Amino acid sequence: MNTTRFSYPLKKIGLIGGGQLGKMTAQAAREMGFAIYVLDPQIQCPAASIADKHIIGSLYDSVKIRELAHLSDVLTYEIEHVDIETLKQLYDQGYPIYPSPYVLEVIQDKWRQKQVLAQHHIPVPKFQAVDDLNATFLAQAKFPLVQKARRGGYDGKGVAILRSIEDKEKILPVPSMIEEFVAFKKELAIMIARDKQGNIACYPVVEMVFDDRTNICDIVAAPATISPALAEQARKIAVDAICALDGIGVFGVEMFLTQDDQILVNEIAPRPHNSGHYTIEACLTSQFEQLVRIVSDLPLGSAKLLSPAVMLNLLGEAGYQGRPVITGLVETLSIAGLSFHFYDKSITRPFRKMGHITLLADDIETALMALDNVKKTLKIQGEDMIHD
Amino acid sequence: MNTTRFSYPLKKIGLIGGGQLGKMTAQAAREMGFAIYVLDPQIQCPAASIADKHIIGSLYDSVKIRELAHLSDVLTYEIEHVDIETLKQLYDQGYPIYPSPYVLEVIQDKWRQKQVLAQHHIPVPKFQAVDDLNATFLAQAKFPLVQKARRGGYDGKGVAILRSIEDKEKILPVPSMIEEFVAFKKELAIMIARDKQGNIACYPVVEMVFDDRTNICDIVAAPATISPALAEQARKIAVDAICALDGIGVFGVEMFLTQDDQILVNEIAPRPHNSGHYTIEACLTSQFEQLVRIVSDLPLGSAKLLSPAVMLNLLGEAGYQGRPVITGLVETLSIAGLSFHFYDKSITRPFRKMGHITLLADDIETALMALDNVKKTLKIQGEDMIHD
């Protein structure tokens, strides 16, 4: 195909996973005239009604993935937990998939991911694979330490922090790796977009603040309040990490800023990332549009930040489930520069990611104060109370 | 309904018309968790696949409009040419419709529109209703003059410029009004959002440049390069005009800046407007989100301009029809700060509005130069040549 000539629809993009990242990717694609087909097991998944077609099936269903590939010109995914063997077979037959399933395979296994990064001299916390955190291991272990399931974790799931041998009942009974416990000053993140020619669009360094209750990223402030030198160092490390993986696509690089101002890569997500939602309003090109551009052989857009921004995840309130009921929206939307996103999930659950808001403001401090009020005002409850 | 409490979906919005304005309204609505139902006669109208439901039917079909109203919590429209009698009946029965069909009725008739504005001392070109531009009338007419069909015009259709009596074969054989021919310096426009409480969000004054071939708005530059005093005067006139109409909704106010720096209101559109597309990327709240907020009893968003911006309409190339084929997209998207919108029209025709691009830039002059290149590079042709 001549890349300077597109017939309508510009391209048919197959997307594995139809959650909120899929919905926002689909919206970016549809704005630009792309067709988008989504595979997701849930009939009412967030991306379903934005997509041109929704194939209902498991992300591990080889037949459904092949059906999606057959309909589409190119495949991508919004979640790591997919049938990688099928993707590898398709890829080996020449079917375009971005990021490559071989990159995904490395990232899926947290130990291999760290190993590749360490081999390329990317700074990471000290780590080691451990088949079994048995008595022998624990007897000589240096606490505190972090156990991570090698596969399958997300949003704090699959991670156990062991502060002493007393915490041994927290140990996850799965193949895992252990890492030193990093007493960080800040958690940082950067979105990196890298195209097939190796061109890179690097978004600003942002700061992530996590909810203590859930270990879900709660607030993202863009840009992070760190020195320009540290920001530059973080950007270099993030870019080097994606180059080390030879990643093509959009990547969220999560990093620790340690007490002594070291930057260590914590984890990489091979897809649009919660820490990049602010790019929709605050950057010239959103992370979602970048993914659409990359998989479609279009040039990268500018990642320039137009305005400081703060993003707040809207989680389902504890104690409620069922059809969402939103209170405080009028008060919230009266804040100038605030955008409200709701993910079209028809059922809320405690701490489920139901939406987010982004607030542009001249400075981060003012925006954070406004978000504090939003957190008190805006509630996503369900029609049903959960009784203990 | 308590406006501070929303159940999911937040509200069901019924939209009459599913063209590009409908598509972009639907996208804003879907981002925020609203359901949107669209009435449009075309199966593959731009809004069809973004909407939750598409009722296929004429915009003048009373039964279909009632069906849409029955499904929805509130009605709005993206086009003036709809069955106003049905809307008035629904409105009189207490059904919420914004803008009110009585405001729409005034705006639909260009003569009544001008009359209301003149009664409220809004400056407008000299005008008069004329049932018949017959020989008697023409014998004493002062040329040049502009004949406008009282109803049904859009994109330059329904307007005849009569430079002398020689142009009499251009006369439109419909009920019309005549206006003095305004030799303007610039054509300006402002988007005004006004809610039920009378709160107003006023967007910047922009400059519209029209294509000589088609009289379709070609380029919009935001902000207009006029003095702050003139801009303030234009904003005041536009706000006064919407207040004079008691308009609730989103309105495009088109104005002339005359050779002697008078501002005259040319026409008002009671809906999102081509001159406001730039608000998607360049303003804190887009014109489409404002409409969604207003019809849903949510507070107005800020209309602040984040960055100067220039918008270019992408029209189907002359000489082509059929399935769109886009060339030059790679070159175009390599321009930093450029966003590409394609309206999902499966058939192109000469000068059909197929999409638009918005370019954010530090200054308008640079952006206009870049757009000049885009106009040379980016072509939307059809698969079929049109043979004369």
Side-chain angles (χ1 to χ4, degrees):
Chain A
M1 188 178 117
N2 180 339
T3 55
T4 65
R5 187 180 168 90
F6 285 87
S7 285
Y8 175 78
L10 277 69
K11 206 152 198 166
K12 295 175 218 144
I13 300 172
L15 179 62
I16 303 174
Q20 62 265 24
L21 299 172
K23 180 186 174 187
M24 291 184 273
T25 303
Q27 287 202 300
R30 295 299 313 277
E31 189 165 284
M32 299 172 78
F34 290 88
I36 191 146
Y37 305 135
V38 167
L39 171 65
D40 195 277
Q42 287 186 39
I43 293 175
Q44 290 198 318
C45 71
S49 61
I50 305 288
D52 294 82
K53 191 181 166 74
H54 174 202
I55 299 175
I56 296 164
S58 161
L59 311 186
Y60 288 95
D61 183 332
S62 176
V63 173
K64 297 285 187 182
I65 288 176
R66 286 176 191 282
E67 183 185 338
L68 182 69
H70 183 72
L71 280 173
S72 311
D73 297 318
V74 58
L75 284 187
T76 187
Y77 39 87
E78 56 121 46
I79 184 167
E80 292 89 326
H81 310 305
V82 301
D83 173 8
I84 204 156
E85 292 309 319
T86 302
L87 292 184
K88 280 159 65 179
Q89 286 165 22
L90 285 164
Y91 188 84
D92 291 342
Q93 288 157 14
Y95 191 92
I97 302 173
Y98 302 99
S100 143
Y102 290 95
V103 171
L104 174 59
E105 186 173 44
V106 170
I107 287 177
Q108 269 189 344
D109 179 345
K110 291 185 180 180
W111 174 70
R112 279 192 60 195
Q113 183 189 136
K114 280 271 161 41
Q115 227 187 6
V116 169
L117 295 176
Q119 278 163 3
H120 286 81
H121 312 292
I122 310 293
V124 293
K126 291 190 192 76
F127 69 100
Q128 113 187 50
V130 178
D131 285 336
D132 185 7
L133 275 68
N134 55 24
T136 317
F137 172 84
L138 291 171
Q140 48 87 51
K142 198 179 150 213
F143 294 97
L145 61 81
V146 180
Q147 182 201 15
K148 291 184 175 177
R150 282 178 60 170
R151 292 165 196 282
Y154 70 97
D155 280 349
K157 294 188 177 65
V159 175
I161 296 172
L162 311 176
R163 295 187 184 275
S164 73
I165 198 149
E166 308 299 309
D167 280 344
K168 71 181 177 203
E169 74 283 3
K170 290 190 190 167
I171 289 171
L172 308 166
V174 291
S176 56
M177 59 178 267
I178 57 158
E179 272 186 8
E180 65 173 323
F181 178 83
V182 178
F184 53 80
K185 258 199 267 193
K186 290 175 188 288
E187 290 197 69
L188 306 174
I190 305 185
M191 296 306 306
I192 302 282
R194 184 166 177 269
D195 73 10
K196 295 169 203 174
Q197 289 76 44
N199 300 309
I200 285 172
C202 178
Y203 285 88
V205 187
V206 303
E207 183 171 343
M208 296 190 291
V209 181
F210 285 77
D211 185 316
D212 288 339
R213 298 169 303 174
T214 57
N215 208 23
I216 296 177
C217 171
D218 186 28
I219 286 176
V220 169
T225 49
I226 56 174
S227 71
L230 270 178
E232 191 44 46
Q233 197 188 331
R235 287 160 67 107
K236 186 180 180 314
I237 289 170
V239 168
D240 287 350
I242 301 311
C243 292
L245 291 163
D246 194 19
I248 297 169
V250 168
F251 298 85
V253 183
E254 297 184 35
M255 291 170 290
F256 296 126
L257 178 65
T258 67
Q259 297 294 349
D260 56 347
D261 281 347
Q262 297 297 303
I263 288 164
L264 304 176
V265 172
N266 177 22
E267 270 179 37
I268 294 174
R271 51 165 172 78
H273 189 252
N274 200 163
S275 72
H277 290 355
Y278 76 93
T279 61
I280 294 176
E281 286 87 7
C283 292
L284 280 179
T285 312
S286 78
Q287 62 171 344
F288 304 103
E289 181 175 335
Q290 291 287 23
L291 180 59
V292 171
R293 286 176 177 237
I294 290 166
V295 304
S296 309
D297 298 309
L298 289 170
L300 291 175
S302 164
K304 185 181 161 190
L305 188 71
L306 277 166
S307 161
V310 174
M311 188 239 30
L312 171 70
N313 276 328
L314 302 175
L315 307 180
E317 282 291 306
Y320 292 90
Q321 62 190 10
R323 193 155 76 109
V325 176
I326 304 164
T327 50
L329 192 58
V330 170
E331 297 82 340
T332 298
L333 284 180
S334 68
I335 300 171
L338 188 143
S339 299
F340 173 75
H341 295 254
F342 200 75
Y343 300 152
D344 284 324
K345 295 178 182 175
S346 53
I347 298 291
T348 182
R349 286 192 297 269
F351 309 118
R352 189 174 193 199
K353 286 181 178 170
M354 298 301 290
H356 76 266
I357 60 169
T358 301
L359 177 57
L360 306 197
D362 291 336
D363 77 302
I364 295 283
E365 278 308 307
T366 313
L368 284 172
M369 280 192 298
L371 281 203
D372 251 10
N373 277 325
V374 171
K375 286 179 77 167
K376 285 173 203 142
T377 316
L378 186 63
K379 303 283 177 197
I380 300 178
Q381 299 171 329
E383 285 187 334
D384 308 318
M385 303 269 287
I386 299 173
H387 302 285
D388 288 329
Chain B
M1 186 180 119
N2 180 339
T3 56
T4 66
R5 186 181 169 89
F6 285 86
S7 285
Y8 175 78
L10 277 68
K11 206 150 200 168
K12 295 175 217 145
I13 300 171
L15 180 61
I16 304 175
Q20 60 267 22
L21 299 172
K23 180 186 174 188
M24 291 184 272
T25 302
Q27 287 202 300
R30 296 299 316 277
E31 188 165 286
M32 298 173 80
F34 291 87
I36 192 147
Y37 305 134
V38 168
L39 171 64
D40 194 277
Q42 287 187 39
I43 294 175
Q44 291 198 319
C45 71
S49 61
I50 305 289
D52 293 83
K53 188 178 168 72
H54 175 201
I55 299 175
I56 296 164
S58 160
L59 310 187
Y60 288 94
D61 183 333
S62 177
V63 173
K64 297 286 186 180
I65 288 176
R66 286 175 191 281
E67 183 185 338
L68 182 69
H70 183 72
L71 280 172
S72 310
D73 297 318
V74 59
L75 284 188
T76 187
Y77 39 88
E78 57 119 45
I79 183 166
E80 292 90 325
H81 310 305
V82 302
D83 172 9
I84 204 154
E85 293 308 319
T86 302
L87 292 184
K88 280 159 64 178
Q89 286 165 23
L90 286 164
Y91 188 83
D92 290 343
Q93 289 157 13
Y95 191 93
I97 302 174
Y98 302 100
S100 144
Y102 290 95
V103 171
L104 174 59
E105 187 173 42
V106 169
I107 287 178
Q108 269 189 345
D109 179 344
K110 291 186 182 181
W111 174 72
R112 281 192 59 195
Q113 183 190 137
K114 279 273 162 42
Q115 227 188 4
V116 170
L117 295 176
Q119 278 163 2
H120 286 81
H121 312 293
I122 311 294
V124 294
K126 291 189 193 75
F127 69 100
Q128 119 188 44
V130 177
D131 285 335
D132 185 7
L133 275 67
N134 54 26
T136 317
F137 172 85
L138 290 171
Q140 47 88 49
K142 200 179 150 210
F143 294 97
L145 59 80
V146 181
Q147 182 201 13
K148 291 183 174 176
R150 281 179 61 171
R151 293 165 195 281
Y154 69 99
D155 279 349
K157 293 186 177 68
V159 175
I161 296 171
L162 310 177
R163 296 187 185 275
S164 72
I165 198 150
E166 309 299 308
D167 281 344
K168 70 181 178 201
E169 75 283 0
K170 288 190 191 168
I171 291 171
L172 309 165
V174 292
S176 56
M177 58 179 268
I178 58 158
E179 272 185 8
E180 64 173 323
F181 178 84
V182 178
F184 53 79
K185 257 199 266 191
K186 289 174 189 287
E187 289 198 71
L188 306 175
I190 304 184
M191 296 306 306
I192 304 281
R194 184 165 177 269
D195 72 11
K196 295 169 203 175
Q197 289 75 44
N199 300 308
I200 285 173
C202 179
Y203 285 89
V205 188
V206 303
E207 185 171 342
M208 296 190 291
V209 182
F210 285 76
D211 186 317
D212 289 338
R213 298 169 302 174
T214 58
N215 208 23
I216 296 177
C217 169
D218 186 29
I219 286 177
V220 170
T225 49
I226 55 175
S227 72
L230 271 178
E232 191 45 45
Q233 197 188 332
R235 287 160 69 108
K236 184 176 180 317
I237 290 170
V239 167
D240 287 350
I242 300 312
C243 292
L245 291 163
D246 194 20
I248 297 169
V250 168
F251 297 85
V253 182
E254 298 184 34
M255 291 170 290
F256 295 126
L257 178 65
T258 67
Q259 297 294 348
D260 55 346
D261 281 347
Q262 298 297 302
I263 289 164
L264 304 175
V265 172
N266 177 22
E267 270 179 37
I268 294 175
R271 50 165 173 79
H273 189 252
N274 200 163
S275 72
H277 290 354
Y278 76 94
T279 61
I280 295 176
E281 287 86 8
C283 292
L284 280 178
T285 313
S286 78
Q287 62 171 346
F288 304 103
E289 180 174 337
Q290 292 287 24
L291 180 59
V292 171
R293 286 177 177 236
I294 290 166
V295 303
S296 309
D297 298 309
L298 290 169
L300 291 175
S302 164
K304 185 180 161 191
L305 188 73
L306 278 165
S307 161
V310 174
M311 188 236 35
L312 171 70
N313 275 329
L314 302 176
L315 307 180
E317 283 292 307
Y320 293 90
Q321 62 188 11
R323 193 155 77 107
V325 176
I326 304 163
T327 49
L329 193 58
V330 169
E331 297 81 342
T332 299
L333 284 180
S334 68
I335 299 171
L338 188 143
S339 299
F340 173 76
H341 295 255
F342 200 74
Y343 299 152
D344 285 325
K345 295 179 183 175
S346 53
I347 298 290
T348 183
R349 286 192 297 269
F351 310 118
R352 190 175 193 197
K353 286 181 178 170
M354 299 300 292
H356 75 266
I357 60 170
T358 301
L359 177 58
L360 305 196
D362 291 335
D363 79 301
I364 295 282
E365 278 308 307
T366 313
L368 284 172
M369 282 193 297
L371 282 203
D372 252 9
N373 277 326
V374 170
K375 285 180 77 168
K376 287 175 203 141
T377 316
L378 186 64
K379 303 284 175 196
I380 301 179
Q381 298 171 330
E383 283 187 336
D384 308 318
M385 303 270 287
I386 298 173
H387 302 285
D388 288 329

